[in-house]
Amino acid sequence: MALKLRHDEVMNFDLRPSGKGWMDTKPEFSKGTYCFSGVRKHVEYLEQPNPREWQPYDDDWKLPERWEETIIKGFEDRLSRFRSFKLFMDICVRCGACSDKCHYFIGSGDPKNMPVLRAELMRSVYRKRFTAAGKILGRLVGARDIDEAVLKEWFYYFYQCTECRRCSVFCPYGIDTAEITMIGRELLNMVGLNINWIIEPASNCFRTGNHLGIQPHTFKDNIEFAVDEIESITGIRVNPTINRRGAEVLFIIPSADIFADPHIFTFYGYLTLFHEIGLDYTFSAYASEGGNFGLFFSHEMVKRLNAKIYAEAKRLGVKYIIGGECGHMWRVMHQYMDTMNGPAETKGDPVSSITGTRFDHARATKMVHICEFTSDLIHHKKLNLDPSRNDAYRVTFHDSCNPARAMGMLEEPRIVIKSSCNNFFEMPENTIREQTFCCGSGSGLGTDENLEMRMRGGLPRANAVKHVHDRHGVNMLSCICAIDKATLPALMDYWVGGVEVCGVHELLGNALMMKGEKERTVNLRGEELAAKEKSNA
Amino acid sequence: MGLTLSLLLVGALALVAYALSGNMPAVFGIWVPYAASTLFLVGMVYRVIDWARSPVPFRITTTCGQAKSLPWIRSEPLESPSGLISVLGRMFLEVLFFRSLFRNSKADVHGGPKLVYGSSKWLWIFAMLFHWSFLVTFIRHLRFFTEPVPFLVTLAHSLDGIFEIGVPALYITNALILLALSCLLVRRIIVPHLRYISLLTDYLPLIMLFGIVLSGVIMRYFVKTDVVAAKKLIMSLLVFSPAIPDGLGAAFYIHLFLVCVFFALFPVTKLSHMAGVFLSPTRNLANTNRVKRHINPWNAPVKVHTYEEWEDEFSDRLKAAGYQLERD
Ligand code: SF4
Ligand code: SF4
């Protein structure tokens, strides 16, 4: 899947809005800028409101009777349940500091993609319905009532926000438009407005345990396939287990890791690492997904899908949990899981049996990020690494939004990368760490039909990669997120060219010198290592 | 439109005070100030209580730096606080020095396309200038509200006039606040995306402040208001035995009236950000999510797909694939 539009056709805008006021313009549902609606059977399976056949490009969205009331009641309810939401409705001063911080605005020039206006879409209705000034003075104070056109506008722009929180970093009051989008999507869902790329994975996950709907026997087959591959590359047969009671560690990954390309190479990395250090761990086929697409449409669904993790940790009697490379999964694990489904009932504390390190910063949730776990091994020199095996790669690192802005995990992945390869180059400082730019396809927007918007939203990220590609010959974009791995390759092909995408633990797996391994002639991707020493001499 | 209307509104308010204060000084000198103070105090307290009534169900800190994790990794406590002290530090920087605004940058798209991010500290500079001048001015005014005047207030007053330019001495903050207000206003008018998002309620406070500062300046340097009389009035209001002294001219009433309207508007406009900034969950929560359990008061049970249901649903496949089952 590639976008047919030429670069100059995409860049046909100016970042300076002009013309009619924003209340007088309405979005056009043109191909490539929105996602298809939730498929009925999945909406029904999850028992979500108003299942029906409809599409965003239809004129008639088949809204339920008295939908306005539902929305306003839902609005009121959330004002009383989320201080963030209530406060963010009141205190924005429209200073504009957030305006050009959003990748969708930078890539589309659409003024309603400025975080401040995205929030005003809801704030205007808030003023009309919940403030005296808005009720009396109306438009004069930026108030307007909800109607079908406004609802469609919400749908359009709340599905053009990847909940990346970059705007929140720059706002003097910390107003987090992602929070507003999340609640906006929750309201939309109450009247049956959702998108299939979110509903289907959520429904699959609820039923089978993972987004892709992989059933337990296939889950096992895929892991065995990986074991065979690893054996042919390293000569070592690793021995992962599934649903094993009494293991020390439950290992949770985003399910794409055992299925998709290039995720699977990261998966090889995990398995070789765990084998090498002799970690006593198990997968779960019931909790075979760390990702949580519930996050992209309702707090309730986050909790429903996430419940499996602690339930399984308890059933299997593990000591603690390690989580793989995934961005939004870690938003949930770090900021929601313990509150929603805790306290964790594990048989022990998060302590690395290899280094003895007690992961005190995870003592309540009992869940450690694999980059934390691995950087601890590296710090204690428990791994034998030959970074020259990655010499064919000139690597940069994309901070995924959630680990960066919701966990504050910036150094750990860098420690792993720098120990695993010789050629590492940072992108410009306005585009990394807490200021990192989204891949443009997060929060459930990574579908093919939404490709134009994804390429637009991904432009700032791609542009920064292009900078290091041109300057340092960077050809490998590493990251710690399954959505990134799924969507960055298309973004790189469109805007940059000649840059591949990998997980951090793929680099580690390449560099890892395992006891008793045969001489490696290929890397985890099966590519020849032959000229590696000289290639960068 | 918002701009014109703001000008008209503020003009009208000044005119009302100018035209009527002579005939009804009690209204402008006593009732309006009482009403405005009540609206401000009650309104702000109500606002804050109302915000606080909604719980913080999740700990949603926005982390702007390395979290405290492994002991040998350097963390940035002021960007990703790990406890009360660092939260206080973060809030201190945010409230007094606008830390987040200091980060501001400006994105430009050049041909190619090539994106360029320039440093853009203007907004931060204007905002700092404005808020600090406002604060000093406010403190300076406390000399009308206190007897004896506390040392800090006298200090602010004399420092502010330290250059001793003109008689009476020009206040530095008079000049700075006018400069800052002009910059903030011009910015709103000439930067296209700001103009696009601006509402009446964004222009109005700026124009009102202009009116307030200008009437204050006129009073001090041009029509010479009797400051002793002004203090007498204010002190009488404070002890609830209001009496209108002689010698307060129209300029004083215009100033006072605009100040009253301005403060009365605080609770119902964006000016409430003054209190709101303290309550923002993305800034005032420590990033201790995995250390301590955060409690959500409305955490309701939800429908889940239990392990047993899952095992039953897939039991054939599980058996065929050699899984160990709970219900064998
Ligand atoms: S930075 Fe914050 S206060 Fe300023 S316009 Fe954006 S959301 Fe509003
Ligand atoms: S959260 Fe990200 S995508 Fe959403 S408005 Fe803010 S910057 Fe844009």
Side-chain angles (χ1 to χ4, degrees), chain B residues 7-17 257:
Chain B
L7 283 166
L8 288 175
L9 270 172
V10 175
L13 288 173
L15 213 63
V16 166
F257 189 50

Side-chain angles (χ1 to χ4, degrees), chain A residues 208-216 218-220 222 255 258-259 285 288:
Chain A
T208 64
N210 58 72
H211 293 157
L212 301 159
I214 304 169
Q215 299 194 2
T218 318
F219 184 73
K220 196 169 179 197
N222 279 13
S255 63
I258 56 159
F259 195 86
S288 50

Side-chain angles (χ1 to χ4, degrees), chain A residues 35 45 95 133 167 220 229 314 473 476 537:
Chain A
C35 305
Y45 182 72
C95 68
C167 45
K220 196 169 179 197
E229 284 295 301
K314 182 178 172 196
M476 184 55 90

Side-chain angles (χ1 to χ4, degrees), chain A residues 86-218:
Chain A
K86 195 167 167 66
L87 197 73
F88 296 165
M89 288 293 107
D90 282 323
I91 63 170
C92 169
V93 296
R94 284 163 299 281
C95 68
C98 59
S99 58
D100 59 354
K101 307 304 180 288
C102 177
H103 51 280
Y104 277 123
F105 176 60
I106 298 175
S108 72
D110 183 339
K112 284 181 202 163
N113 272 325
M114 295 191 281
V116 48
L117 269 196
R118 196 186 312 286
E120 290 283 305
L121 300 179
M122 274 187 110
R123 229 177 251 132
S124 50
V125 173
Y126 167 77
R127 293 189 193 106
K128 183 77 195 174
R129 290 299 188 116
F130 302 102
T131 72
K135 279 181 195 153
I136 301 164
L137 299 172
R139 249 183 103 132
L140 211 50
V141 290
R144 62 171 184 181
D145 210 350
I146 182 99
D147 59 26
E148 210 166 311
V150 170
L151 193 74
K152 289 184 173 179
E153 198 177 33
W154 283 11
F155 181 87
Y156 191 77
Y157 291 105
F158 292 144
Y159 287 103
Q160 278 185 15
C161 164
T162 47
E163 305 178 353
C164 78
R165 310 182 97 204
R166 189 169 192 267
C167 45
S168 160
V169 168
F170 294 89
C171 173
Y173 317 118
I175 292 178
D176 182 6
T177 309
E179 189 79 355
I180 294 169
T181 294
M182 283 164 75
I183 286 172
R185 289 188 184 183
E186 217 167 281
L187 295 182
L188 289 168
N189 192 58
M190 289 176 81
V191 294
L193 302 178
N194 40 45
I195 65 173
N196 198 51
W197 197 252
I198 294 174
I199 284 285
E200 181 171 338
S203 134
N204 283 341
C205 187
F206 194 69
R207 176 164 174 258
T208 64
N210 58 72
H211 293 157
L212 301 159
I214 304 169
Q215 299 194 2
H217 55 294
T218 318

